[in-house]
Structures are given as C-alpha cells and as structure tokens.
Amino acid sequence: MTGLPLGRRAFIAAGTGAVLAPVLAGPARATGRTPFGRHGSPSARPDARTLYVHPGGLGDHTTVQGAVTAATGAGFTLVIAPGVYRETVSVGAVDPATGLPGAAGSEMTWIGASGDPRDVVVVYDNANGTPRPDGSGTYGTTGSATTTVRTDGFTARAVTFANDWLRADHPGITGTQAVAIKVQGDRSAFHRCRFLGHQDTLYADTVALGTFARQYYRDCYVEGDVDFVFGRATAVFERCHFRALGRTDLAGAPYGFVFAPSTAVADPRGYLVTRCGISSAAPDAYYKLARPWVPGSDPTARPMLTVRDTRLDAGIDAVAPYANMSAAHPWQSQRFAEYRNTGPGALITVPENRPQLTDAEAGQHTRAAYLGDWCP
C-alpha cells in the first residue's frame, strides 16, 4: 500500500467500504418509522429493560455509556440508533473486594438498530502510550480500549467497535497498542459485528488468570496489523473475515501478525478459527498467521490456536506462517495447528512449519467442543 497515512475519520471508512462514510460525516439516519426500526421506541418499548440510545436525543440516552450506567441490573437490552458514538464504554464495574465484576450489566445485549454494523460505530482513539489527562501516566494496553466488557452473557449484534488511533499522528508515542474492544466475560457473543483498529484490535481475554471465558464471533469482520486478535479466552470465530492492513511505516516484511493467543496452560481450549477468510492489503507473504504471547503475568501460558477450513490469501507467509514473540517461548512448543485450509497462504511447502491435525484430532476442534454446554 502506498500513499499518505489516512486521517482518523478516513481510516474507519477506508478498509470497510464507502457506505460508512456518510454515517461518519452526517447525522444518524432513520430506519423505518423511527431511528430504532423494528425494535420499538421509548414510547413503545417491549419492556422496562429495553433502553434506547440516539445521538440526537430521540432515545432514552444520547451516549452508549449513559445507557450502560442506567442498566443497574441484569438482562438489559440497548437498542442503538445509527450514528458515530465517540466515547469510551465500560460494561461491568469491578467489585474492589473481589476484583471481579458485579451483577450489573450481566446478560446485556446491544442491538444496532438498522441491522447494518456500518451504521452504528462506537469509537475512540486512546493508545497504550497516550498520556492520561490527570497526569497519572499512560493508559496502557488495557486502558486504551474503546469498549471494555467484563460481565458474563454479553451479546452484540450489528455494531462496529473501533479504535482510530494512528501511529502517523503520534510519532513520539512508542506504545502503539490501541484496543477497539476488550472482552473478558464468559458467554460473550458477537454477530455481524465489525472490529476496526491497527495493533491489538480485538482483545479476547478473561477477567483473571484461572478464570476461563467462552466467546463466540459469527459473521464478523476484524482488521488490523500487529497481533490484532489476542488474549487468553476460549474463542470461536466462525464465518468471519480477518483483514490484514497495509502499512506505510515499514519497508519490509513482516508487517504484523493476525493472531497472538495467550491461552493459560490449564485451559484445554484456545482460539478456534473455522470456515473463515483471511485477506490482506499487503504484498504477498508480508504477514504471519500467528505468534504466541506468553505475558509476564503468566509465564506458564501455552498459547493455543487452531485454524481450520479457512481460506488464507497470499498475504500470509506460507513458508513460515508462525513466528516467536520471545525466543524463550518458541511457537513450536505451543498448541498451534491447522486443518484443511485453502488458498495461496495455506500451501504446505515446509511441512514442519505447518502443523496439521489428523481427521480424528479435528473432531475435537469444533464449535461444540470449545463452547461446551453453551449454545450462543
């Protein structure tokens, strides 16, 4: 990719189609008789636990965080009208006594009212190295997240989660991780959602080491460059599209890594990518499929990733698709495997670099096996 770096607003639209551009530039548009479409309205709500968000004041709240804060119990639904919500959002306050989130916000559902995720965008632009306004240091990777979900049972449909912080706008900042969403709760499901960012876009994690969290992503779109899907959750990605972005700040390969799991050694399931597609805006072989993340907070982690029945385009390095994040934790010692993948990025030219499941082993790497008794 060549040319000047994209501006913040243009970045969100650039990798995702021209349809988003009018939404970013103008007011929220109505869908049906009201901006909430078939999902009712404040004057015709199905129940008291349905709240409406509209940036122009036609709902119960003008911000997503305002609605989340008002949802003081469990089982609330937020219907979000088309618009760009430039804010940070946190679902699930942490109990200082236990360090775990309380019940408020659990079993929450967000619905993009139009049904098109390009119409409802929750976006902000903090990065790891962004100074906090109170002078208490920088945000760090976790603190950079535009949206943070700590509670169990969270579901989102047809919503875009974005972080439009750009390296080119902040040459003096070296902490360039900028998270669009950090998901930590068990039974977290995302349907037809988009996740936009560069480094560390989608943080699929857990609330604590030793706490397992199952997550499900269906028909979603994820884009980024460095480790843009990462964390220690048990996460199933089904029929999703991963897009590795071009870069103007690097002269050669690799541009980045699609996955960086940090699965706890006690967790028998990590990331499962099934019936997906991985495309790239970079030159051929400029991206690695994955590298293992063994964080300092969990030096015993044994990252796990299975990619099966997925098309890998030429942007993925077929000869050496995996790399080390640390020489002390080589990828060959982790739980990486593939099965029946297609496309030029899936060609097996050096077999020892492409660990393959047998048919019998593949039977243990399915949505049902990873999610157990939970059916999203």
Side-chain angles (χ1 to χ4, degrees):
M1 177 179 288
T2 59
L4 296 174
L6 295 170
R8 285 192 179 95
R9 305 303 178 268
F11 153 67
I12 296 179
T16 54
V19 178
L20 180 57
V23 178
L24 291 172
R29 62 177 184 267
T31 54
R33 295 181 179 179
T34 78
F36 307 108
R38 62 184 179 86
H39 302 288
S41 69
S43 61
R45 70 181 80 237
D47 56 64
R49 291 183 179 267
T50 299
L51 302 177
Y52 295 88
V53 185
H54 185 280
L58 299 181
D60 301 305
H61 303 275
T62 58
T63 66
V64 178
Q65 184 62 63
V68 169
T69 301
T72 55
F76 276 82
T77 295
L78 274 54
V79 180
I80 308 173
V84 176
Y85 298 85
R86 180 159 285 277
E87 57 178 303
T88 59
V89 183
S90 180
V91 181
V94 173
D95 183 337
T98 65
L100 299 175
S106 61
E107 311 303 326
M108 179 178 283
T109 297
W110 292 10
I111 299 175
S114 74
D116 187 336
R118 294 172 295 184
D119 291 341
V120 176
V121 182
V122 182
V123 59
Y124 210 72
D125 60 348
N126 285 329
N128 179 328
T130 301
R132 292 180 179 271
D134 62 3
S136 60
T138 60
Y139 281 99
T141 299
T142 289
S144 75
T146 298
T147 301
T148 303
V149 178
R150 300 183 181 91
T151 55
D152 293 341
F154 180 85
T155 299
R157 297 188 180 95
V159 176
T160 291
F161 300 89
N163 189 318
D164 59 358
W165 189 90
L166 286 175
R167 300 181 185 93
D169 292 344
H170 305 277
I173 291 180
T174 56
T176 57
Q177 299 89 343
V179 178
I181 186 170
K182 181 172 184 176
V183 186
Q184 297 177 281
D186 187 34
R187 295 178 291 103
S188 301
F190 297 83
H191 303 268
R192 292 181 292 109
C193 289
R194 298 190 311 157
F195 306 91
L196 312 182
H198 281 274
Q199 184 171 354
D200 291 6
T201 303
L202 172 55
Y203 197 169
D205 204 53
T206 72
V207 293
L209 181 63
T211 301
F212 298 164
R214 296 163 295 176
Q215 300 173 14
Y216 181 61
Y217 301 81
R218 168 86 178 209
D219 296 316
C220 292
Y221 173 91
V222 191
E223 72 177 22
D225 48 38
V226 178
D227 305 333
F228 60 95
V229 181
F230 74 115
R232 65 175 172 238
T234 292
V236 176
F237 300 89
E238 188 168 28
R239 292 174 46 173
C240 293
H241 179 191
F242 302 91
R243 179 72 170 172
L245 299 173
R247 298 185 64 172
T248 59
D249 58 321
L250 295 179
Y255 276 0
F257 316 85
V258 181
F259 302 100
S262 58
T263 322
V265 68
D267 193 340
R269 302 283 185 263
Y271 288 175
L272 172 64
V273 179
T274 178
R275 297 194 296 160
C276 294
I278 301 176
S279 65
S280 173
D284 291 359
Y286 266 49
Y287 269 90
K288 303 293 187 181
L289 183 60
R291 62 178 180 173
W293 177 33
V294 179
S297 59
D298 181 18
T300 66
R302 192 160 177 248
M304 182 177 185
L305 168 71
T306 298
V307 180
R308 61 171 299 170
D309 301 297
T310 290
R311 177 175 172 80
L312 314 180
D313 89 350
I316 300 299
D317 183 353
V319 175
Y322 304 105
N324 297 334
M325 190 176 294
S326 166
H329 304 284
W331 71 264
Q332 293 91 341
S333 299
Q334 314 310 323
R335 294 175 284 178
F336 285 1
E338 302 177 52
Y339 182 68
R340 293 194 317 198
N341 294 321
T342 60
L347 292 176
I348 302 174
T349 57
V350 182
E352 58 267 33
N353 289 345
R354 309 297 301 248
Q356 302 291 309
L357 298 175
T358 65
D359 291 345
E361 290 169 337
Q364 300 302 312
H365 294 269
T366 64
R367 176 180 62 186
Y370 275 57
L371 301 185
D373 60 359
W374 174 49
C375 183

